């Protein structure tokens, strides 16, 4: 690890404690006590203006009195004293610092100014800073706790690194007792060093196998993705709990597309593209970490096989698996034959598998069932489910211990990984856990959290491969780029002309400046036609009576033209009017919305779902960060309800999914190419014809980014 930019922060050789205190319970005393208790091997320099010693270690009146420069400073001072202290520390040769104090960016204008000055100091000096507004960090593997909370006596060194923006995240995960810890990092405000840099360090850290993230935001997606890729290349796993992903936290754009997107979907897709396992609560985080650190080989598919001795709990498994989206595939005829030979006559070969109560006393049969499931081509991981709570009676515990021994002995010989889980959380009986732990078999707790962890592990491998597919870039047309950069609003017709240049299928249409001209255009297009007001100021035309549909004669067209003009004049008197758009009417087909929207800080995302007037009511959509491949676009469509309809739901004619895939992937490439000058593109509806009949963009809205936006 020598030479990594965070070396002095994460594994310092000497430490100065600014604000050290001889008083028990004081912050500056706890830090020194932690260093002593965890056996820090380097020099510790407590700084106190009057004390002769702190916790039995000689103290110094100021940093200038130190016998030699310290590598890292732990700052146990109030916010107003932090920056002057760091100016002095960096001048003395300090290369890293940990700041506990609050009162920075989280504390109003004065705090934001203070944090800006801290960032400027770090930029000028190269100082690496943990915090501020944090508990600090602790390198457990090297006995270097630069930490303001008491390090738990039960905390053991291990291979899981905890990175948390929240101090409470560090506290709960360091006290959970389910795994050993290599590092605890309370990131706090992350003013200088944030999660991506810590992750990059861990990729080279020999003591770390899994990184558990409890994070509030990702400020630098590119750096995070690069660090995650380094973790993956090193054979290490990343499990992330991102808090604050609710729909309320997502900013919507002016287009319908924005109301369909959400912070949760964006982060999910980003994590998927990075190979990061994303979870939704602390229970899931813990079970996923336990699974990821113990699993010997990653599953190569999504199929999960579960076995249990209880028919009732097999039914529970089915219920939970369906609810959380775990794939329990049907078994092959050969697997069913093998199971039928092993099971008693009243047993039934299926997945999940009820091995019946006979298996409790017949380990040969139990093992044969496990081997048969592991050999099935549709199965990627086997899960042995058995309730083994810590309070289990000793006689029952010995019975279940034999099942655990069987799983442990088979694990090294199976062609697929195997997991053992209890349907109840709250601890596993030690007699059952012992042989599984000794064999390195993952031991999980709680039906929902366990199945989610298993399912996400499987899906993560498949999704990461799909996300890695190369996407052809979209050529930027300079004239359109200059047009968007003005920030001036676009009309529907102008938007469609832009899309047509990239080969996207638009409706036939012309703009008319009078009722007579509209009638003549309608005659050329052939009936029925649609009339729409043409104005850059009216993106939602129907709100002002600016749309008339199913017009079947010249007389109807001319009358509709007059009615539209009158309605718009009354409801939007200041709007600029170019005329009325006369458009062919597309009546057949399934209505779909495809759009692109800005999702800070990641850039542009593409959205697909049920379209038309019910788009926001049905809220049937799926999202992916742009650009995406055709294969990814097809998966995105298939994940929606309208995708099921287009696939021929209940015998209905199949839609032209192939043509829709092309629109989705092309729009994603357009969004990525013009992302710096576009905020949103909304194609709603797109009419999808039957298979082979193509699609047509009926309505389109493009929202340029406001001129001067960053």
């Amino acid at each position: 690890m020598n030479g990594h930019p965070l070396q002095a922060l994460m594994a310092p050789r000497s430490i100065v404690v600014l604000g050290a205190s001889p008083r028990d319970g004081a912050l500056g005393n706890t830090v020194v006590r932690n260093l002593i208790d965890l056996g820090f091997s380097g020099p510790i320099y407590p700084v106190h203006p009057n004390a002769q010693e702190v916790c039995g270690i000689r103290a110094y009146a100021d940093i200038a009195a130190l016998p030699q420069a310290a590598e890292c400073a732990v700052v146990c001072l109030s916010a107003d004293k932090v920056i002057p202290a760091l100016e002095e520390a960096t001048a003395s040769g300090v290369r890293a610092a940990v700041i506990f104090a609050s009162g920075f960016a989280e504390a109003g204008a004065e705090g934001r100014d203070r944090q800006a000055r801290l960032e400027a100091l770090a930029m000028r000096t190269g100082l690496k800073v943990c915090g501020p507004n944090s508990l600090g960090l602790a390198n457990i593997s090297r006995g270097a706790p630069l930490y303001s909370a008491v390090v738990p006596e039960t905390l053991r060194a291990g291979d899981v690194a905890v990175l948390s923006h929240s101090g409470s995240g560090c506290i709960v995960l360091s006290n959970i007792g389910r795994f050993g810890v290599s590092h605890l990092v309370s990131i706090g405000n992350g003013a200088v060093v944030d999660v991506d840099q810590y992750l990059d360090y861990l990729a080279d850290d020999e003591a770390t196998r899994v990184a558990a993230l409890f994070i509030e935001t990702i400020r630098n997606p590119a750096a995070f993705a690069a660090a995650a890729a380094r973790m993956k290349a090193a054979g290490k796993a990343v499990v992330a709990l991102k808090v604050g992903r609710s729909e309320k936290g997502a900013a919507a754009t002016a287009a319908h597309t924005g109301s369909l997107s959400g912070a949760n979907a964006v982060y999910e897709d980003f994590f998927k593209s990075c190979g990061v396992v994303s979870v939704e609560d602390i229970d899931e985080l813990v079970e996923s970490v336990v699974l990821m650190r113990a699993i010997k080989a990653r599953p190569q598919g999504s199929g999960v096989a579960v076995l249990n001795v209880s028919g009732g709990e097999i039914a529970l498994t089915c219920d939970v698996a369906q609810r959380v989206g775990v794939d329990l595939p049907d078994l092959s005829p050969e697997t069913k034959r093998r199971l039928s030979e092993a099971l008693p006559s009243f047993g039934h070969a299926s997945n999940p598998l009820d091995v019946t109560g006979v298996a409790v006393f017949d380990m040969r049969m139990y093992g044969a069932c496990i081997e048969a499931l592991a050999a099935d081509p549709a199965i990627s991981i086997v899960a042995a489910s058995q309730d083994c709570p810590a309070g289990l009676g000793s006689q029952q515990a010995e019975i279940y211990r034999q099942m655990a021994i069987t799983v442990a002995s088979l694990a090294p010989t199976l062609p697929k990984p195997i997991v053992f889980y209890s349907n109840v959380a709250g601890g596993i009986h030690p007699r059952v856990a012992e042989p599984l732990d000794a064999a390195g078999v993952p031991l999980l707790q709680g039906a929902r959290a366990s199945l989610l962890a298993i399912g996400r592990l499987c899906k993560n491998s498949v999704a990461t491969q799909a996300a890695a597919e190369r996407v052809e870039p979209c050529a930027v047309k300079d004239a359109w780029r200059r047009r968007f950069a003005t920030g001036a609003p676009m009309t529907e017709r102008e938007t469609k002309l832009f899309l047509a240049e990239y080969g996207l299928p638009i409706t036939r249409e012309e703009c008319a400046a009078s009722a007579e001209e509209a009638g003549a255009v309608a005659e050329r297009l052939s009936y029925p036609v649609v009339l729409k007001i043409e104005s850059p100021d009216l993106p939602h035309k129907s709100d002002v009576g600016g749309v008339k549909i199913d017009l079947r004669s010249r007389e109807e067209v001319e009358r509709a033209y007059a009615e539209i003009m009158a309605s718009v004049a009354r409801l939007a008197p200041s709007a600029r009017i170019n005329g009325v758009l006369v458009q062919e009417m597309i009546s057949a087909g399934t209505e779909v919305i495809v759009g692109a929207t800005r999702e800070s800080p990641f850039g542009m995302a593409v959205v697909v779902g049920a379209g038309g007037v019910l788009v926001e009511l049905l809220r049937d959509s799926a999202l992916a960060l742009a650009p995406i491949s055709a294969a990814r676009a097809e998966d995105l469509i298939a994940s929606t309800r309208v995708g099921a309809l287009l696939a021929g739901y209940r015998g209905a004619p199949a839609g032209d999914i192939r043509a829709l895939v092309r629109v989705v992937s092309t729009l994603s490439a357009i969004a990525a190419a013009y992302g710096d000058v576009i905020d949103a593109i909304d194609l709603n509806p797109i009419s999808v014809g039957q298979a082979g009949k193509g699609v047509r963009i009926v309505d389109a809205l493009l929202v340029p980014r406001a001129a001067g936006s960053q």
Side-chain angles (χ1 to χ4, degrees):
M1 290 296 297
N2 289 335
H4 193 280
L6 296 190
Q7 182 71 16
L9 181 64
M10 298 294 282
R13 291 172 293 188
S14 57
I15 298 167
V16 57
V17 182
L18 305 177
S21 173
R23 181 169 53 87
D24 287 346
L27 175 61
N29 187 276
T30 299
V31 170
V32 176
R33 177 63 59 194
N34 279 339
L35 287 164
I36 294 170
D37 290 347
L38 262 72
F40 181 68
S41 59
I44 304 171
Y45 303 118
V47 172
H48 188 279
N50 303 313
Q52 296 299 306
E53 62 177 42
V54 173
C55 299
I57 298 176
R58 178 187 170 182
Y60 299 85
D62 54 43
I63 201 166
L66 269 57
Q68 62 184 38
E71 228 177 23
C72 183
V74 183
V75 186
C76 307
L77 301 169
S78 59
D80 59 310
K81 297 176 181 177
V82 167
I83 293 176
L86 287 179
E87 294 278 10
E88 186 178 0
T90 53
S92 76
V94 166
R95 296 162 50 205
V98 174
I99 304 173
F100 304 128
S102 56
F104 287 80
E106 81 287 353
E110 182 180 354
R112 288 192 294 273
D113 177 69
R114 183 177 290 125
Q115 183 156 314
R117 287 187 285 124
L118 172 63
E119 292 169 2
L121 184 155
M123 179 70 71
R124 185 177 73 252
T125 64
L127 186 72
K128 302 302 180 185
V129 178
C130 174
N133 188 30
S134 79
L135 296 180
L137 55 83
N139 186 331
I140 306 301
S141 63
R142 296 198 181 189
L146 317 179
Y147 202 58
S148 62
V150 176
V151 177
E153 305 97 1
T154 55
L155 182 65
R156 66 184 190 276
D159 55 10
V160 177
V162 175
L163 307 179
S164 176
H165 281 124
S166 163
S168 64
C170 280
I171 291 173
V172 68
L173 292 171
S174 65
N175 282 277
I176 203 75
R178 295 285 303 283
F179 43 75
V181 173
S182 61
H183 299 270
L184 283 175
V185 182
S186 171
I187 300 169
N189 291 5
V192 177
V193 180
D194 209 347
V195 60
D196 53 278
Q197 293 150 285
Y198 291 116
L199 206 56
D200 184 80
Y201 174 89
L202 295 174
D204 295 328
D205 182 56
E206 294 179 358
T208 300
R209 177 172 169 77
V210 177
L213 314 185
F214 187 108
I215 56 177
E216 296 172 0
T217 190
I218 292 175
R219 298 183 180 90
N220 189 334
F224 183 96
R230 292 195 67 228
M231 287 287 286
K232 185 173 183 291
K236 303 180 181 187
V238 182
V239 183
L241 170 56
K242 164 66 177 71
V243 297
R245 294 189 290 177
S246 63
E247 291 288 338
K248 189 174 181 180
T253 69
H256 285 300
T257 300
S259 67
L260 289 178
S261 64
N264 182 63
V266 177
Y267 272 94
E268 286 292 331
D269 192 71
F270 176 71
F271 287 140
K272 188 183 299 179
S273 71
C274 295
V276 172
V277 174
S278 176
V279 299
E280 296 182 2
D281 59 40
I282 291 177
D283 287 337
E284 293 176 32
L285 177 65
V286 170
E287 300 313 317
S288 286
V289 167
V290 170
L291 176 60
M292 298 297 286
R293 66 172 297 274
I295 201 80
K296 297 295 190 297
R298 291 291 187 97
Q300 297 304 302
S302 62
V304 180
V306 181
L307 68 158
N308 191 288
V309 299
S310 163
E313 295 204 345
I314 287 298
L316 172 66
T317 299
C318 292
D319 294 345
V320 175
Q322 180 175 333
R323 196 158 58 243
V324 302
V326 171
D327 180 17
L328 301 175
D330 291 336
L331 303 173
S332 70
E334 173 60 16
T335 302
K336 290 181 178 180
R337 182 192 64 77
R338 290 180 62 180
L339 290 173
S340 296
E341 290 178 355
L343 291 167
S345 59
F346 52 86
H348 176 63
S350 63
N351 181 31
L353 177 65
D354 176 7
V355 290
T356 77
V358 174
V360 173
F361 306 102
D362 188 344
M363 290 302 106
R364 180 177 296 180
M365 184 195 81
Y366 187 64
C369 289
I370 291 173
E371 290 175 321
L373 292 172
D376 191 285
I379 302 303
S380 295
I381 188 169
V382 178
S385 168
Q386 188 58 54
D387 298 341
C388 308
L392 200 65
S394 58
Q395 184 176 358
Q396 200 68 39
E398 286 305 314
I399 293 173
Y400 291 163
R401 176 180 169 82
Q402 295 307 309
M403 300 174 72
I405 290 172
T406 301
V407 170
S409 63
L410 284 175
T413 70
L414 297 175
K416 315 282 176 60
I418 187 166
V419 178
F420 193 102
Y421 78 89
S422 175
N423 284 305
V424 292
I428 301 287
H429 195 285
R431 292 288 290 164
V432 179
E434 181 186 25
L436 296 165
D437 287 338
V441 174
L443 184 53
L444 310 181
Q445 301 178 28
R448 182 180 180 277
S450 297
L451 285 169
L452 268 169
I454 294 165
R456 283 179 171 141
L457 170 65
C458 294
K459 290 179 180 178
N460 181 261
S461 299
V462 175
T464 303
Q465 295 167 10
E469 293 178 357
R470 186 173 182 275
V471 180
E472 288 297 325
C474 172
V476 173
K477 299 178 186 294
D478 290 339
W480 283 113
R481 181 181 178 80
R482 289 192 297 270
R483 167 65 182 86
F484 302 146
T486 67
M490 300 270 291
T491 65
E492 175 185 342
R493 182 165 55 102
E494 194 177 11
T495 297
K496 285 180 176 176
L497 289 174
F498 166 65
L499 297 173
E501 290 195 23
Y502 286 95
L504 295 184
I506 62 172
T507 49
R508 293 182 299 126
E509 56 196 33
E510 295 180 37
C511 188
S514 67
E516 293 76 13
E517 187 179 350
V521 171
E523 294 287 334
R524 288 197 298 273
L525 292 179
S526 76
Y527 298 102
V529 296
V530 175
L531 264 57
K532 301 177 181 178
I533 192 69
E534 167 93 343
S535 168
D537 301 325
L538 300 173
H540 304 298
K541 309 171 191 68
S542 58
D543 294 349
V544 293
V547 179
K548 297 287 185 179
I549 66 171
D550 199 22
L551 305 173
R552 295 179 174 272
S553 69
R554 184 163 189 155
E555 181 182 2
E556 287 184 10
V557 168
E558 292 180 356
R559 183 169 59 250
Y561 183 100
E563 290 172 354
I564 286 175
M565 285 299 194
S567 178
V568 171
R570 184 177 70 259
L571 297 175
S574 61
R576 292 169 291 172
I577 306 301
N578 297 337
V580 169
L581 193 65
V582 184
Q583 182 183 102
E584 65 173 325
M585 182 169 173
I586 308 295
S587 55
T590 302
E591 291 191 334
V592 173
I593 181 173
V594 177
T597 179
R598 178 172 305 284
E599 297 293 346
S600 181
F602 302 106
M604 300 298 287
V606 63
V607 181
V608 62
V613 296
L614 298 179
V615 58
E616 292 178 13
L617 178 63
L618 296 179
R619 298 191 67 79
D620 169 40
S621 64
L623 173 148
L625 291 169
I628 61 174
S629 66
R632 182 79 174 91
E634 189 168 1
D635 289 342
L636 207 64
I637 295 166
S639 70
T640 65
R641 292 192 295 275
V642 75
L645 181 63
L646 292 172
Y649 181 71
R650 291 196 172 182
D656 200 333
I657 295 177
R658 186 174 180 179
L660 181 60
V661 163
R662 182 176 175 275
V663 172
V664 174
S665 58
T666 301
L667 187 70
S668 80
I670 291 171
Y674 292 91
D676 59 331
V677 288
I678 288 177
D679 269 338
I681 305 174
D682 187 9
L683 312 183
N684 181 40
I686 293 177
S687 179
V688 181
Q690 293 183 17
K693 299 296 184 182
V695 302
R696 198 71 64 87
I697 298 169
V698 177
D699 204 345
L701 169 66
L702 188 150
V703 182
R705 202 167 189 196
S709 296
Q710 298 296 318

